[in-house]
């Protein structure tokens, strides 16, 4: 049997192991992807650290997968060998739970996640169910496409489903892996984009990416600064520090909405009065399905939105992961496969 290289985790908190495995064969309803690139996402820590329930180890992480279909199983009708496809966090749904019956596949109670429920993209090949596939437009390289399949779709889909309308002031809280994409989407969607981050260093970059205003949260009161600008209809929060979220919420306009996509380690503290006085609301947003990924990539191809990436070869997955976890990546980390 022909072999492939893969990087697996054998137990919670175990190391990344570079191993040789047999190249898998797709069963009915599934395809095999020859992987060209896979993004390294903060949510990979759920597998690495065993934070997700019922994980079966060893498991290959990775849910920002871009490659080419190189084999299709029986009963796959809509996809064929040679198509360029991606797989993101959404990795398939059950079709029978209440969320599925309501057509909300991303909220499926039994949703499959690439790199958690089955082996993901830290490998030269993977098997994916056909419903999890998103077509990659030809304008995007595999390295460009990969981060759009989680970081991209999450921010794109949260923004386009928010209450903001063209021309509204929208603030992006945090300019990192998620935030640097959010600023671009926000500005290309026609929102008056305000970037908020710690320190002065990110101002030039944020403005280059499309922000009209920049608020340095280290030296200023974020809520006050937002109110001086007229208040934000939407604040999209990408940060992992709850204090930063609490400090921004009074910057919402009347009827404004805080949309949360980043996951702070601690509960977010909000005064009820802040919400009541302005009819303000808070909501979370859960990524999207494969067709949302396609929309994200098509929008990016159309408007020039691109992730800024640091790339590593597959065998350096541990180093790549460490850089991502340090928060010092500039801005997303992507693994590449050489298929030597
Ligand atoms: Zn992710
Ligand atoms: Zn379901």
């Amino acid at each position: 049997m022909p072999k492939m290289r893969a990087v697996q985790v054998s137990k919670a908190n175990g190391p990344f192991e570079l191993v040789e495995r047999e190249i898998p064969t797709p069963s009915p309803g599934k395809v095999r992807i020859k992987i060209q690139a896979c993004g390294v996402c903060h949510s990979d820590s759920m597998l690495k650290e065993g934070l997700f329930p019922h994980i079966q180890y060893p498991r290959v992480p990775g849910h920002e997968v871009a490659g080419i279909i190189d084999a299709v199983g029986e009963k796959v009708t809509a996809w064929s060998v040679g198509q360029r496809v991606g797989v993101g966090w959404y990795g398939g749904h059950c079709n029978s739970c209440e969320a599925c019956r309501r057509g909300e596949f991303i909220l499926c109670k039994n949703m499959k996640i690439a790199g958690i429920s089955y082996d993901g993209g830290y490998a030269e090949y993977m098997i994916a169910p056909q419903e999890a596939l998103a077509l990659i437009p030809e304008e995007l390289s595999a390295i460009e496409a990969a981060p759009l399949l989680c970081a991209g779709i999450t921010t794109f889909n949260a923004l386009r489903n928010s209450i903001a309308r063209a021309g509204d002031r929208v603030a992006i809280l945090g300019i990192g892996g998620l935030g640097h994409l959010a600023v671009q989407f926000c500005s290309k969607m026609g929102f008056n984009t305000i970037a908020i981050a710690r320190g002065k260093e990110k101002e030039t970059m944020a403005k280059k990416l499309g922000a009209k205003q920049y608020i340095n949260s280290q030296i200023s009161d974020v809520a006050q600064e937002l109110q001086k600008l007229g208040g934000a209809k939407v604040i999209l929060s990408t940060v992992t520090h709850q204090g930063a979220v609490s400090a921004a919420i009074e910057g919402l306009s009347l009827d404004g909405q805080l949309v949360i996509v980043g996951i702070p380690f601690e509960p977010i503290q909000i005064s009820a009065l802040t919400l009541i006085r302005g009819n303000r609301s808070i909501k979370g947003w859960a990524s999207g399905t494969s067709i949302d990924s396609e929309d994200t990539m098509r929008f990016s191809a159309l408007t020039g939105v691109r992730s800024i990436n640091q790339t590593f070869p597959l065998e350096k997955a541990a180093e790549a992961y460490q850089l991502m976890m340090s928060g010092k990546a500039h801005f997303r980390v992507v693994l590449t496969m050489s298929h030597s």
Side-chain angles (χ1 to χ4, degrees):
M1 287 291 282
K3 296 274 204 291
M4 66 170 188
R5 294 183 311 155
V7 171
Q8 66 180 28
V9 177
S10 289
K11 59 174 199 251
N13 288 313
F16 288 110
E17 305 157 355
L18 183 64
V19 293
E20 274 214 328
R21 287 186 175 195
E22 278 179 12
I23 296 178
T25 307
S27 53
K30 295 179 179 168
V31 308
R32 182 171 69 212
I33 301 170
K34 185 176 181 183
I35 300 169
Q36 295 168 309
C38 181
V40 177
C41 179
H42 195 271
S43 302
D44 294 342
S45 62
M46 293 193 191
L47 170 72
K48 180 80 168 58
E49 292 167 23
L51 305 174
F52 213 84
H54 315 302
I55 295 178
Q56 284 181 319
Y57 293 97
R59 181 62 78 223
V60 176
H63 59 267
E64 287 189 347
V65 189
I68 299 171
I69 297 178
D70 92 319
V72 295
E74 286 169 48
K75 295 180 186 160
V76 173
T77 49
W79 299 94
S80 52
V81 169
Q83 283 182 301
R84 300 177 67 226
V85 292
V87 180
W89 180 256
Y90 161 86
H93 61 273
C94 79
N95 252 329
S96 57
C97 73
E98 183 181 341
C100 284
R101 290 172 63 202
R102 293 187 188 282
E104 300 261 29
F105 303 134
I106 190 63
L107 304 180
C108 171
K109 197 172 70 160
N110 309 303
M111 197 183 88
K112 297 272 194 290
I113 302 164
I116 287 187
S117 319
Y118 52 83
D119 288 332
Y122 286 31
E124 289 175 328
Y125 294 86
M126 76 175 277
I127 302 292
Q130 55 184 340
E131 72 265 26
L133 304 177
L135 193 67
I136 300 175
E138 60 182 32
E139 293 91 333
L140 299 179
S141 71
I143 293 171
E144 288 171 331
L148 296 175
L149 290 151
C150 182
I153 182 185
T154 299
T155 49
F156 172 80
N157 217 22
L159 284 168
R160 72 169 175 172
N161 285 290
S162 76
I163 60 169
R165 301 178 65 184
D168 282 347
R169 271 180 300 275
V170 173
I172 306 300
L173 184 57
I175 308 300
L178 290 172
H180 91 288
L181 282 163
V183 165
Q184 296 178 65
F185 286 130
C186 193
S187 127
K188 296 290 184 189
M189 283 177 190
F191 302 130
N192 185 347
T193 306
I194 305 162
I196 307 166
R198 287 160 57 84
K200 180 94 183 92
E201 308 80 60
K202 287 186 173 168
E203 177 164 3
T204 313
M205 175 58 74
K207 288 194 168 160
K208 210 171 118 194
L209 296 175
K212 289 277 176 268
Q213 312 277 349
Y214 180 83
I215 299 173
N216 175 354
S217 61
Q218 255 171 353
I219 55 160
S220 48
D221 181 319
V222 170
Q224 253 176 34
E225 292 302 312
L226 284 173
Q227 287 303 344
K228 273 190 219 162
L229 297 169
K233 189 73 181 184
V234 166
I235 298 174
L236 180 70
S237 175
T238 71
V239 296
T240 53
H241 174 50
Q242 82 83 18
V245 187
S246 307
I249 190 158
E250 292 237 25
L252 285 171
S253 68
L254 300 181
D255 295 306
Q257 190 176 63
L258 171 69
V259 180
I260 298 177
V261 293
I263 307 171
F265 305 112
E266 278 134 23
I268 297 167
Q269 294 191 6
I270 303 288
S271 134
L273 263 182
T274 301
L275 298 179
I276 292 169
R277 275 197 308 240
N279 272 359
R280 297 169 175 128
S281 59
I282 304 175
K283 74 176 293 177
W285 189 264
S287 168
T289 61
S290 48
I291 196 68
D292 297 309
S293 284
E294 257 185 53
D295 291 346
T296 305
M297 290 190 285
R298 270 207 304 267
F299 184 88
S300 303
L302 184 71
T303 60
V305 171
R306 294 291 186 276
S307 173
I308 298 170
N309 303 321
Q310 288 181 267
T311 59
F312 289 80
L314 175 65
E315 58 272 20
K316 296 215 167 137
E319 205 180 306
Y321 177 83
Q322 215 173 19
L323 174 65
M324 179 278 300
M325 289 301 280
S326 75
K328 291 186 180 127
H330 191 266
F331 284 94
R332 293 295 283 186
V333 176
V334 179
L335 298 174
T336 57
M337 298 19 162
S338 57
H339 289 279
S340 52

